[in-house]
Amino acid sequence: MNSLLLPLQPRDPKEAHRAATQLELFFDLVSVIAIASLTACFHHALIEGHGLEKLPNFLLIFVSIWWVWMNYTWFSSAFDNGDTGFRIISFFIITGALIFTAGVPYVFKTLDFSFTVLGWIIMRLGMAFLWLRVALSKHQVTSVALRYLIGILLTQTLWTLLYFTVEAGTPWFLTLACVLFVLEFLVPVIAERSGKTPWHKHHIIERYGLLNIIVLGEVLLSISFMFRELFEGSMSIDTLITALSALTIVFCLWWFYFIESAHLKSSKAAHQFMWGYAHVFLFAAAAMLGAGFAAYLDVINGHSQANLQTLMLYINLSISLYLFTLWLIRDRYESNKMTRALLLIASLIIATGSLWHQSLAVTGSLTLLTLILRARRESSIALLPNKNPQATSKE
């Protein structure tokens, strides 16, 4: 019990060879389960022709999953000391996350959070307790920790009141939920004004990269279903082209993201918040893409009567959103004009592809062409002598 109340001291933000811990990877498993469950739900909505109707449900639940992951990840980067107390509280948060995850299919259908609100309360109380331990450290980050603690408890109180006072699934409920998420997002912004948590830059970049791998893994899962027909001896040419096109796209998206390690290029606080928050669009886009590929397969195999061009719209917009977000958080800070504009232009071209009945093969070809141009530019820069290492990107 004493270890639960021991003060948490900040970690060194310049610590060498800082990598994700086994506990953080274990925590990520909850995100894997939750995102997989949500992607499957959206897949079924697409093949039933209810994609647009269920899109708000998908986004609300996905943001919830991401927000829990993000809160724990940034805290761990700054204060995870691996002691018994931290592990026990982490298990407490994981328990709440699993309760929330178990309710994902039900919430997706009804937007009635029912017992999932219990999971949300458990997770938030766990994070509040972690911030309390930081506040007890009597370090310069004490005021920051207290702001986080108050912010988390206040917003959680409002979430609980929303659940018990407003009918679930109504437009009024959705509107207030969006307002509460805005308040949630403001908590770190307000808290960090009284100081700065010592998060580790390279550790955070690695953690975000790992979550990106998780959501792209959901896309690979959908593509793997396409290759099942090889074992059934009934794989058609259309299915083969679809599988190879989809695989090309997901390989390209992975390469786009990991084409360079300097993801967080600016030291400005505004850019850091933009980088941290805007990733949710990239992650959500990848999850939607996985659902889109699975639904596309159902249509070409005759298992669904959904409109193929409508599914292509979801697929193209998902790819476009992924590329646009990557441009927003990284490439727009590039010094070279071509590199700075490439992903933005590609995202616009792919987004409009459905207007002229663009096929999945064409989308895959455009994505591959964009990657070739981006990768060639990156290779040419790497070959040039770097006379001024400090001037590789804009602040």
Side-chain angles (χ1 to χ4, degrees):
M1 182 63 184
N2 290 337
S3 62
L4 292 176
L5 298 175
L6 287 175
L8 276 175
Q9 299 294 335
R11 294 188 62 157
D12 182 4
K14 297 182 179 179
E15 178 183 343
H17 309 296
R18 178 74 190 278
T21 66
Q22 290 89 343
L23 181 57
E24 287 175 313
L25 298 177
F26 189 53
F27 184 91
D28 285 353
L29 290 177
V30 185
S31 301
V32 174
I33 299 169
I35 294 172
S37 178
L38 180 58
T39 301
C41 290
F42 194 58
H43 162 216
H44 291 300
L46 288 176
I47 62 176
E48 293 169 1
H50 302 308
L52 186 60
E53 175 189 343
K54 294 298 183 180
L55 184 59
N57 303 34
F58 171 86
L59 294 175
L60 181 64
I61 298 171
F62 191 91
V63 171
S64 302
I65 296 168
W66 163 80
W67 186 242
V68 171
W69 176 89
M70 180 168 168
N71 273 249
Y72 182 82
T73 294
W74 285 82
F75 181 92
S76 298
S77 183
F79 302 106
D80 176 10
N81 64 356
D83 67 6
T84 301
F86 184 84
R87 292 182 178 186
I88 292 174
I89 298 172
S90 296
F91 293 159
F92 184 75
I93 297 172
I94 290 174
T95 302
L98 282 174
I99 294 174
F100 182 89
T101 299
V104 164
Y106 179 75
V107 175
F108 183 83
K109 291 180 180 179
T110 65
L111 276 186
D112 178 5
F113 282 80
S114 191
F115 284 105
T116 55
V117 74
L118 173 63
W120 190 258
I121 291 173
I122 292 173
M123 290 185 289
R124 303 304 282 158
L125 288 179
M127 286 305 309
F129 198 89
L130 287 176
W131 282 113
L132 175 62
R133 288 189 63 187
V134 176
L136 294 174
S137 67
K138 296 181 180 180
H139 192 272
Q140 61 181 2
V141 295
T142 297
S143 61
V144 182
L146 288 173
R147 289 192 180 195
Y148 272 106
L149 175 61
I150 295 171
I152 289 173
L153 294 178
L154 175 61
T155 52
Q156 182 53 55
T157 301
L158 293 176
W159 278 115
T160 307
L161 288 174
L162 173 65
Y163 172 73
F164 285 107
T165 58
V166 181
E167 183 180 354
T170 61
W172 186 234
F173 178 89
L174 284 173
T175 301
L176 290 177
C178 291
V179 171
L180 287 183
F181 265 123
V182 171
L183 293 178
E184 288 270 11
F185 299 158
L186 286 175
V187 170
V189 177
I190 295 173
E192 298 287 335
R193 287 182 177 178
S194 64
K196 186 177 180 181
T197 52
W199 51 272
H200 194 286
K201 177 179 177 180
H202 298 292
H203 175 254
I204 284 293
I205 292 173
E206 180 192 17
R207 296 293 290 125
Y208 272 69
L210 290 173
L211 186 59
N212 183 51
I213 290 173
I214 287 174
V215 290
L216 289 180
E218 298 301 328
V219 185
L220 288 175
L221 179 62
S222 296
I223 297 172
S224 71
F225 296 150
M226 302 177 185
F227 288 106
R228 283 183 177 179
E229 295 184 18
L230 285 172
F231 299 91
E232 299 171 359
S234 60
M235 192 169 199
S236 65
I237 295 298
D238 287 343
T239 303
L240 180 60
I241 293 174
T242 298
L244 294 178
S245 299
L247 202 56
T248 298
I249 290 170
V250 72
F251 286 162
C252 289
L253 296 185
W254 180 91
W255 203 323
F256 279 126
Y257 191 90
F258 293 104
I259 200 168
E260 54 179 286
S261 58
H263 249 262
L264 191 50
K265 294 178 177 294
S266 175
S267 59
K268 294 180 180 178
H271 179 211
Q272 292 170 357
F273 272 111
M274 171 68 77
W275 186 90
Y277 281 9
H279 259 87
V280 68
F281 299 110
L282 183 144
F283 297 144
M288 287 176 59
L289 183 63
F293 281 159
Y296 193 96
L297 174 65
D298 287 336
V299 172
I300 64 175
N301 284 340
H303 299 153
S304 171
Q305 298 300 315
N307 184 279
L308 204 58
Q309 288 305 314
T310 300
L311 294 179
M312 276 305 306
L313 177 63
Y314 281 103
I315 290 172
N316 285 348
L317 289 179
S318 297
I319 299 169
S320 176
L321 180 59
Y322 188 101
L323 296 181
F324 175 81
T325 306
L326 201 49
W327 168 82
L328 181 68
I329 62 178
R330 189 191 67 191
D331 280 15
R332 70 187 178 108
Y333 295 95
E334 290 286 343
S335 57
N336 179 267
K337 291 182 179 180
M338 177 182 172
T339 305
R340 192 162 63 237
L342 185 59
L343 292 190
L344 177 61
I345 295 172
S347 67
L348 294 175
I349 293 174
I350 293 174
T352 58
S354 296
L355 299 178
W356 41 281
H357 302 288
Q358 178 177 299
S359 68
L360 189 61
V362 173
T363 298
S365 299
L366 287 174
T367 308
L368 179 59
L369 176 61
T370 304
L371 175 64
I372 291 172
L373 293 174
R374 181 66 172 84
R376 285 185 63 185
R377 177 61 200 167
E378 192 65 26
S379 298
S380 64
I381 292 175
L383 292 174
L384 292 175
N386 192 356
K387 297 180 181 180
N388 184 7
Q390 302 297 322
T392 56
S393 64
K394 289 187 176 181
E395 287 295 311

